[in-house]
Amino acid sequence: MESCRRVTPGTLLRLLAFLLLSSRTARSEEDREGLWDAWGPWSECSRTCGGGASYSLRRCLSSKSCEGRNIRYRTCSNVDCPPEAGDFRAQQCSAHNDVKHHGQFYEWLPVSNDPDNPCSLKCQAKGTSLVVELAPKVLDGTRCYTESLDMCISGLCQIVGCDHQLGSTIKEDNCGVCNGDGSTCRLVRGQYKSQLSATKLDDTVVAIPYGSRHIRLVLKGPDHLYLETKTLQGTKGENSLSSTGNFLVDNSTVDFQKLPDKEILRMAGPLTADFIIKIRDSGPADSTVQFIFYQPIIHRWRETDFFPCSATCGGGYQLTSAECYDLRSSRVVADQYCHYYPENIKPKPKLQECNLDPCPASDGYKQIMPYDLYHPLPRWEATPWTACSSSCGGGIQSRAVSCVEEDIQGHVTSVEEWKCMYTPKMPTVQPCNIFDCPKWLAQEWSPCTVTCGQGLRYRVVLCIDHRGMHTGGCSAKTKPHIKEECIIPTPCYKPKEKLPVEAKLPWFKQAQELEEGAAVSEEPS
């Protein structure tokens, strides 16, 4: 029997130390080598919205100093603040409004984008040129610059990518897509020259649609800019820009500068409404406006999946198509919406072979060749147009359009329409006979048939078509009358007849012949 060995006090202490260390939470290799304790829990976020910072601490277990950091940070609360929350730096400045500065109270406004020390709290007394550093450090999570996601942490500006991660260098493209390639928007730039007059006191410069970004307009001249807006809910608004400053218009921030010889308008976006930029006449000279912005492409072509195979065995083919997709409503719309954007290139249909296994009844393997090498692709085929539904005044005519396939022997058969969707389908309805219908045209009245008393007068009434030619086709019900009574105020000395005297030739004969000719009412072809 093996004898027990005595445990010395030194061995016991070493054993306890080993158990203590091994019971701690798992650490990285670097931590074990540096004898760091495990990272502690994350602190509460410095902000509730708009992007803040949280920290975690650890302690050094060694009697000597440990290599590395004892604090680490991460971003948190990466959700947009409501518009009424205001600017975070401005909130920190306004917190000093009830503290006297050199014996006087001030209303403090933020001084942003300080290139020397962006993480100090510099504020300007409202209505004065007094700028004071009210704190050496802004609160963690404060933006270093207004147009950047970089944030101040412990008084130092830390890089933040569009993925809201500290140290990340990933940026948004001009369309606002994180790590995007710029394909979801289009650059719009142009110049407008005012054409105002005494009767035209305002004019539209450009319409900037919902979702646009990086808007910049520069007006040079005596006129003034003003805005009209329309939200997606249909609410309309108007805003006159009269002084330099930042304004909130329909939840979009507008930065406006009014200078002696020009006006500058900037909006970072994305716009939360459609903005109509207008100018108002304020001087005799003309003004010019240069503008540039990125407009979102809200309709994109989307390639469909492959349609079912044309054959279940023995070798067939299948095609893809393209459909126009509305990015805002997430639904398929008519192709014309995608044609509005020249940047949108409709994907060409793809063709691939499928179901290449030989059919069970076949006694051998069927060699498959590319479909378009041994007979043409399916195609649209149309019947002749039907007769027009109306002989004049605009009608419609139709035809049948079907997808057909031609086999190796040249036999043409109808197939499912999806096989032809790689090319546009021919129209099945079109307008026809859009010219005006024939109408009656009355000539001047003839002289009265008598020189005194009561007589008759006549006129020629013709049926005229859209070319000005005398034709048939006019409705007999709407024909103006060709004769009427007339009275000559000169009294007759020896009236012989009480009834009106009928017209003598040639008036009576001419009117009678034309009226008989009008009885032929053939429809024009």
Side-chain angles (χ1 to χ4, degrees), residues 303 306 319-322 346-351 377 421-423:
E303 190 175 39
F306 278 97
L319 293 163
T320 64
S321 183
K346 188 175 185 179
K348 293 183 178 180
K350 294 178 182 177
L351 178 73
L377 285 172
M421 294 303 289
Y422 66 94
T423 56

Side-chain angles (χ1 to χ4, degrees), residues 425-443:
K425 186 177 181 180
M426 295 181 288
T428 57
V429 178
Q430 72 175 10
C432 53
N433 294 344
I434 57 175
F435 50 82
D436 293 335
C437 291
K439 54 186 176 182
W440 295 109
L441 179 66
Q443 304 293 324

Side-chain angles (χ1 to χ4, degrees), residues 6-26:
R6 185 180 178 184
V7 179
T8 62
T11 305
L12 182 60
L13 287 174
R14 285 194 295 271
L15 179 62
L16 288 173
F18 172 76
L19 292 173
L20 179 64
L21 290 173
S22 61
S23 66
R24 297 187 182 277
T25 55

